Amino acid sequence: MEQTLVIIKPSGLERALTGQIISRFQSKGLIISGLKMMQLDEKILREHYAHLVDKPFFPSLLASMMASPVIVMALKGVDAVAVVRAMTGATNGRKAAPGTIRGDFSMSGQENIIHASDSPENAQIELNRFFRAGEIFDYKPANIGFVYSPDERNQ
Ligand code: UDP
Ligand code: MG
């Protein structure tokens, strides 16, 4: 099964949305395979947002992502990357569809509550960036047979 990285950003943590966000992913049937709180610094953010370092809003994005600790999560499931991106919604919360996390909880293009990996390749890179060996767990939840069919479970 695929794994993906979610970060509950300071906008999610400070607005006390952590429980609701985790609950949505659990209710969907995604498996939490890693979960921890950490304080991000400029070094890790320059790597994580390397595609944005030259944008005029980058200093503001840096400050926003360091404004409080964040929660990082590894989520596992069939097609987990695409499923979690769909649940996340468009980057700008004002344009994100209702029913998505950003669509329901954000009014901003920057303070948009969570990060989610955008491809399986980037998910692997990002999981390695935010989790150390031993911090991601491989276990089979007891309800797995009620989340997937037998053939899906082996994907
Ligand atoms: N961002 C911003 N202003 C912009 C575009 C992006 O502040 O005009 C921030 C926003 O918090 C976004 C993050 O930079 O989530 C990463 O941008 P990306 O284009 O990768 O969007 P995402 O993958 O998060 O939807
Ligand atoms: Mg992105």
Side-chain angles (χ1 to χ4, degrees):
M1 277 189 204
E2 209 167 78
Q3 290 195 87
T4 190
L5 178 87
V6 166
I7 304 174
I8 302 181
K9 298 181 177 189
S11 51
L13 195 80
E14 291 281 347
R15 289 183 48 209
L17 297 171
T18 299
Q20 290 188 69
I21 292 164
I22 295 174
S23 179
R24 283 185 181 219
F25 291 129
Q26 281 199 302
S27 301
K28 178 70 173 170
L30 288 148
I31 299 165
I32 297 175
S33 49
L35 183 70
K36 66 176 179 178
M37 182 177 273
M38 62 193 290
Q39 174 63 49
L40 302 182
D41 61 19
E42 187 165 338
K43 181 172 176 290
I44 201 166
L45 285 165
R46 281 187 172 275
E47 274 180 33
H48 182 63
Y49 284 138
H51 59 299
L52 300 173
V53 287
D54 295 327
K55 301 279 187 198
F57 60 80
F58 188 71
S60 166
L61 176 59
L62 262 185
S64 156
M65 291 297 291
M66 297 192 298
S68 80
V70 299
I71 288 169
V72 293
M73 255 188 294
L75 296 175
K76 184 155 67 177
V78 177
D79 300 329
V81 172
V83 168
V84 170
R85 276 294 279 198
M87 290 175 73
T88 299
T91 303
N92 188 323
R94 294 192 301 280
K95 297 184 180 148
T100 64
I101 290 169
R102 289 169 172 171
D104 287 352
F105 297 135
S106 169
M107 283 292 284
S108 170
Q110 181 159 91
E111 303 301 325
N112 58 4
I113 315 296
I114 67 167
H115 163 83
S117 304
D118 63 5
S119 69
E121 297 71 32
N122 282 339
Q124 210 42 62
I125 292 168
E126 293 178 356
L127 287 164
N128 289 333
R129 178 175 295 136
F130 290 95
F131 285 97
R132 296 199 196 97
E135 289 181 335
I136 291 185
F137 298 85
D138 192 18
Y139 64 99
K140 196 202 253 179
N143 68 5
I144 195 85
F146 297 91
V147 177
Y148 295 112
S149 71
D151 59 319
E152 287 172 325
R153 229 179 294 160
N154 296 321
Q155 278 175 46

